[in-house]
Amino acid sequence: MKDIVLKLEKEHFLTDDEFKALLEDDSKETADFLAERASAVKKEIYGNQVYIRGLIEFTNYCKNDCYYCGIRHGNANADRYRLTKEQILDCCEVGYNLGFRTFVLQGGEDGYFTDERIVDIVKAIKAGYPDCALTLSIGEKSYESYKAFYEAGADRYLLRHETADECHYGKIHPKELSLANRKQCLYNLKEIGYQVGCGFMVGSPFQTTESIIEDLKFIKELNPHMVGIGPFVPHKDTPFKDMAQGSLELTLKLLSIIRLMLPHVLLPATTALGSINALGREKGILAGANVVMPNLSPRDVRKKYLLYDNKICTGDEAAECIVCMKNRMKSIGHEVVISRGDYKN
Ligand code: 5AD
Ligand code: FES
């Protein structure tokens, strides 16, 4: 398998058969070699620096009903909340003082937050923190809306494609949502000028090796600046409550594969990864990730933004998380830096 890994490192892509062989090889040797090559490639570009993003989960209202997601519209047990503009700005202030230079505004698709309100919030954050990058993660919008947010000052946009396999997409989403529109949104964001992130869950119900290969091909085609992947974790109030969670090992292998495919990519070791294994984020960094996204949401709403069960850091203050994260990264020879953490060309 080493020859396939070395080919991936050199050519940044593989045939379907080679991807399949690599993905279905569950030996520790292969995983270790992948992580070793991915780490070497990452080190060349980003050194041992880890970029932090302050995640502000500003609304858990959502009009969509994705079968896997804990804040889906159909979950009557979700305790809904919205942060005010002032609360969001308070999160930024706390975050700035802790060394964050990127803020990520993430929320469900919440009609209360009209384009006008989002533009207003984006402008306020960029006016208060002109040296910071602002990332939006608020779902599918029209070209015009994306353009308005960009012109207001938003720099980056995260929109996981969730799965690039049409048939699989239909099994985990209600019929109102389509892969075609999802992809179009990502191309629109790129065209407008955003640094764009796509991504998917590892081990989501009905995912096959073939669906993952489709994901890898789509990622290659889109050539995003960021890729967010984490294990699927069931949420007790969703149709997928009894489904198995995604595997740590496969998530780590995919982080390494994505690093080798897109050497410069900004790749987070996600909260979901940290939630299924006590050292998940450390292992993710050692597999080739170079970003972590500690939570900046106010403590009293953290337990309400639950996309999946057993989410970590829901009882901690932002200040506690950043200290914890710095120590975690130090323990594996990495360093959290005060930086916007832009994509390096
Ligand atoms: N397990 C893991 N990740 C999830 N997400 C949503 N629900 C779950 C879950 N149950 C991910 C989706 C979404 C991102 C914000 O969180 O990929 O795009
Ligand atoms: Fe939040 Fe460790 S990062 S408590």
Side-chain angles (χ1 to χ4, degrees):
M1 209 54 70
K2 282 197 174 177
D3 49 329
I4 294 188
V5 175
L6 291 172
K7 179 183 171 192
L8 179 60
E9 178 178 353
K10 193 155 155 255
E11 300 180 14
H12 312 299
F13 208 59
L14 295 172
T15 64
D16 285 17
D17 287 345
E18 288 165 335
F19 270 134
K20 192 172 165 71
L22 192 54
L23 289 166
E24 292 184 349
D25 172 340
D26 45 26
S27 70
K28 185 170 179 307
E29 291 70 41
T30 299
D32 288 349
F33 191 59
L34 265 171
E36 180 191 316
R37 295 320 309 152
S39 286
V41 165
K42 176 185 77 170
K43 212 152 230 163
E44 276 296 308
I45 302 163
Y46 292 103
N48 69 342
Q49 298 196 335
V50 172
Y51 295 146
I52 47 172
R53 318 299 194 197
L55 186 63
I56 304 171
E57 299 155 334
F58 72 102
T59 171
N60 71 350
Y61 282 85
C62 191
K63 70 169 161 46
N64 293 332
D65 225 2
C66 306
Y67 303 153
Y68 46 83
C69 186
I71 65 166
R72 65 200 299 267
H73 178 78
N75 180 10
N77 291 332
D79 187 1
R80 306 286 171 174
Y81 73 91
R82 292 184 178 106
L83 299 185
T84 62
K85 176 180 165 188
E86 289 64 39
Q87 286 176 304
I88 295 170
L89 288 166
D90 286 347
C91 293
C92 295
E93 188 183 345
V94 168
Y96 192 90
N97 292 328
L98 292 173
F100 288 90
R101 295 296 178 267
T102 290
F103 302 118
V104 182
L105 280 186
Q106 185 175 88
E109 294 195 15
D110 178 0
Y112 170 84
F113 287 100
T114 56
D115 289 3
E116 207 182 333
R117 288 196 167 110
I118 295 291
V119 163
D120 181 52
I121 294 166
V122 168
K123 284 185 177 163
I125 295 175
K126 291 296 286 195
Y129 305 93
D131 55 335
C132 293
L134 181 57
T135 306
L136 294 178
S137 180
I138 54 176
E140 298 181 12
K141 307 275 172 181
S142 68
Y143 187 96
E144 291 67 37
S145 301
Y146 286 151
K147 191 141 197 289
F149 307 152
Y150 186 76
E151 284 167 357
D155 304 278
R156 309 185 185 134
Y157 205 102
L158 301 178
L159 183 72
R160 289 192 180 177
H161 64 280
E162 311 298 358
T163 171
D165 170 345
E166 196 81 60
C167 170
H168 183 216
Y169 197 95
K171 290 182 181 166
I172 63 175
H173 295 102
K175 61 176 186 327
E176 294 76 30
L177 295 173
S178 78
L179 176 60
N181 191 55
R182 199 81 178 172
K183 286 184 171 177
Q184 189 57 55
C185 285
L186 284 161
Y187 286 113
N188 289 348
L189 288 161
K190 233 187 154 190
E191 187 185 306
I192 290 165
Y194 284 96
Q195 291 184 36
V196 171
C198 67
F200 62 95
M201 289 174 288
V202 178
S204 60
F206 315 112
Q207 185 180 58
T208 59
T209 302
E210 284 66 33
S211 355
I212 298 176
I213 296 171
E214 288 307 310
D215 289 319
L216 297 175
K217 287 189 200 171
F218 173 66
I219 289 171
K220 191 70 192 175
E221 181 193 294
L222 178 68
N223 191 25
H225 304 84
M226 311 171 278
V227 177
I229 66 162
F232 162 74
V233 184
H235 184 291
K236 62 183 185 334
D237 298 316
T238 64
F240 289 165
K241 63 178 189 305
D242 296 322
M243 299 290 191
Q245 82 180 20
S247 99
L248 171 74
E249 291 75 19
L250 185 56
T251 306
L252 296 174
K253 267 173 71 182
L254 279 160
L255 286 170
S256 301
I257 290 172
I258 293 167
R259 170 65 62 201
L260 294 175
M261 267 173 51
L262 304 177
H264 298 259
V265 77
L266 294 162
L267 192 61
T270 56
T271 304
L273 188 56
S275 297
I276 64 159
N277 185 284
L279 296 176
R281 288 166 299 176
E282 289 88 332
K283 291 175 198 280
I285 296 294
L286 293 174
N290 67 328
V291 172
V292 287
M293 302 174 68
N295 203 319
L296 276 186
S297 310
R299 220 182 83 120
D300 59 304
V301 304
R302 286 191 185 200
K303 284 194 169 60
K304 302 181 186 175
Y305 198 84
L306 294 183
L307 309 182
Y308 47 83
D309 291 334
N310 307 317
K311 186 179 173 197
I312 50 169
C313 304
T314 56
D316 302 285
E317 292 289 355
E320 300 174 294
C321 281
I322 189 72
V323 171
C324 169
M325 191 61 81
K326 282 182 182 163
N327 288 330
R328 284 172 180 270
M329 295 300 116
K330 206 168 143 194
S331 77
I332 53 166
H334 282 68
E335 185 200 0
V336 166
V337 290
I338 299 182
S339 159
R340 278 176 47 119
D342 282 301
Y343 183 87
K344 283 195 184 167
N345 269 307

